[in-house]
Amino acid sequence: MDIENLIKDTFTAHEPDAPDSDQVLAATRQRLDRRRAVVSPPLAAAAGVVLLALAAVAVVALNRPAHDSQVATGTGQTSGPAALQAPAEAAIAELTMPYSLGWLPPGKADYVARRINVGGSAAQPDKPVYGGEYMLTVTSGPQVLLVDVQETRMVPVDQAAFKSGPGKPVTIGGRAGVESSHSGGPGGYELYLTHPEGGSLYINVAAQPGSTASAQQLIDAGRRVAENVAFPGKTTVTPAFGLGKLPDGLRMCTFDVEKNGPSGPRTGYSLGTCSTQPPIQVHIGEPGQVGGTEGQPVQGHATRYVDENGYHTLWILKAVHDAPIAVAGRGAQAELYAIADHLVLPH
């Protein structure tokens, strides 16, 4: 199997019998809840932000400008009368993760993949530090394992904090780390491994509540995941919709791709300068969330517009099949429409 597309290929191969999406999302949120209680102080605030943003389906971070080359815009036909030429449909651009997973426990996999803004460094508190995270649910018969792999660039291994008590030194793949001493507890197996660019890589393998796994199975799986992480990454994930040309001064700061949410695929982006708050959120919502007054059509879709004390939301109806897309923030109305007009929607 091509390790660079491991996650995507694993899910695609088993999509017809993927685990129940409601259970997957509930397990993901439970994992975030558990993490909030044990992360070290620099990450505590970020973990709270991640949890809230997941609920809005708009998390994560990619620190690069949104150049035109990032989105395939398509070209017109090259033959036939000019009056009959039609532009080719734009392609939804794949999103690249910062590192790749070369191995996963065998079974059916569902996932949330994202880039995370974990705050600023001590030396440059105003400059965002970015990391990536994979949260997977791997089902094999009655057993369900939760696999979490996250860059914690602000946490060196000597500051590692564990759910189940103190850790112990370990070397995996030639890199120093600290792993949990009690992997049979509720936190499962945990590892902080030295990151090649500073900080650490956090790996957690645990049994989903209601499922069981031996401590040794969790240890073996966690260590093998760690041994096969590859930097830099080439793994790509496919969002449900893409970004086109952004207004001047804006770029993509975060993305969150959930393959199989409760109502289908879920994707969210945050846009801005990537160093100042608040960002503009662009994410798939639920039809029941839509409110406001009728707005101007966007790409042939009806819209609704809401102004809540200066916080504006532009809803694009039935933008991703039957689901709406929200473009929301404190920017001007014209800015929200400019973003919406250039979104790359599925056809």
Side-chain angles (χ1 to χ4, degrees):
M1 180 179 290
D2 181 356
I3 66 172
E4 306 300 350
N5 290 295
L6 180 63
I7 289 179
K8 186 165 59 178
D9 291 347
T10 300
F11 183 85
T12 300
H14 300 285
E15 193 160 12
D17 54 356
D20 181 77
S21 57
D22 289 330
Q23 294 179 1
V24 170
L25 186 61
T28 299
R29 285 173 172 157
Q30 288 174 359
R31 291 154 72 187
L32 287 171
D33 285 337
R34 294 202 306 269
R35 289 281 298 281
R36 292 177 74 190
V38 297
V39 292
S40 58
L43 287 177
V49 171
V50 168
L51 181 62
L52 292 173
L54 178 62
V57 200
V59 203
V60 230
L62 179 63
N63 185 18
R64 65 184 184 189
H67 296 302
D68 291 344
S69 60
Q70 290 177 281
V71 178
T73 56
T75 57
Q77 298 177 1
T78 57
S79 62
L84 300 180
Q85 291 183 17
E89 292 181 351
I92 298 174
E94 301 261 314
L95 300 171
T96 303
M97 294 295 287
Y99 59 95
S100 296
L101 302 181
W103 184 86
L104 288 174
K108 304 185 298 287
D110 200 356
Y111 66 84
V112 177
R114 57 180 173 237
R115 292 294 303 265
I116 308 166
N117 181 348
V118 295
S121 65
Q124 295 178 296
D126 294 330
K127 183 178 180 180
V129 176
Y130 295 93
E133 181 175 23
Y134 298 91
M135 299 182 74
L136 303 106
T137 302
V138 182
T139 304
S140 179
Q143 185 181 75
V144 182
L145 297 181
L146 306 178
V147 180
D148 188 2
V149 185
Q150 179 184 162
E151 289 180 297
T152 54
R153 298 286 300 281
M154 295 165 58
V155 182
V157 294
D158 58 4
Q159 295 180 11
F162 297 95
K163 304 178 183 77
S164 55
K168 58 184 180 181
V170 67
T171 300
I172 296 179
R175 289 184 284 159
V178 180
E179 65 180 4
S180 52
S181 301
H182 180 47
S183 298
Y189 174 78
E190 295 180 277
L191 167 69
Y192 286 82
L193 193 63
T194 301
H195 193 290
E197 297 179 1
S200 56
L201 183 73
Y202 174 80
I203 296 169
N204 180 210
V205 182
Q208 180 173 280
S211 183
T212 58
S214 70
Q216 192 59 52
Q217 181 186 5
L218 299 178
I219 292 169
D220 292 344
R223 289 178 176 175
R224 188 166 179 185
V225 168
E227 289 171 351
N228 288 278
V229 172
F231 295 92
K234 296 180 181 179
T235 295
T236 60
V237 291
T238 304
F241 70 96
L243 299 175
K245 182 180 179 181
L246 297 175
D248 290 343
L250 295 184
R251 58 178 175 170
M252 180 172 66
C253 303
T254 78
F255 70 73
D256 188 319
V257 175
E258 183 179 1
K259 182 63 178 180
N260 194 31
S263 303
R266 285 290 178 264
T267 296
Y269 303 91
S270 67
L271 313 176
T273 65
C274 305
S275 59
T276 60
Q277 297 292 333
I280 294 174
Q281 306 288 2
V282 185
H283 63 87
I284 296 175
E286 299 289 342
Q289 296 175 305
V290 175
T293 59
E294 185 176 353
Q296 297 297 318
V298 167
Q299 300 190 45
H301 295 268
T303 66
R304 297 292 184 272
Y305 185 76
V306 183
D307 183 349
E308 297 177 298
N309 298 319
Y311 189 86
H312 311 289
T313 302
L314 175 64
W315 288 101
I316 309 167
L317 306 187
K318 296 186 177 181
V320 180
H321 308 300
D322 288 331
I325 289 177
V327 184
R330 295 196 176 276
Q333 184 185 64
E335 186 175 52
L336 302 187
Y337 273 103
I339 294 169
D341 284 335
H342 291 88
L343 294 179
V344 184
L345 305 178
H347 297 281

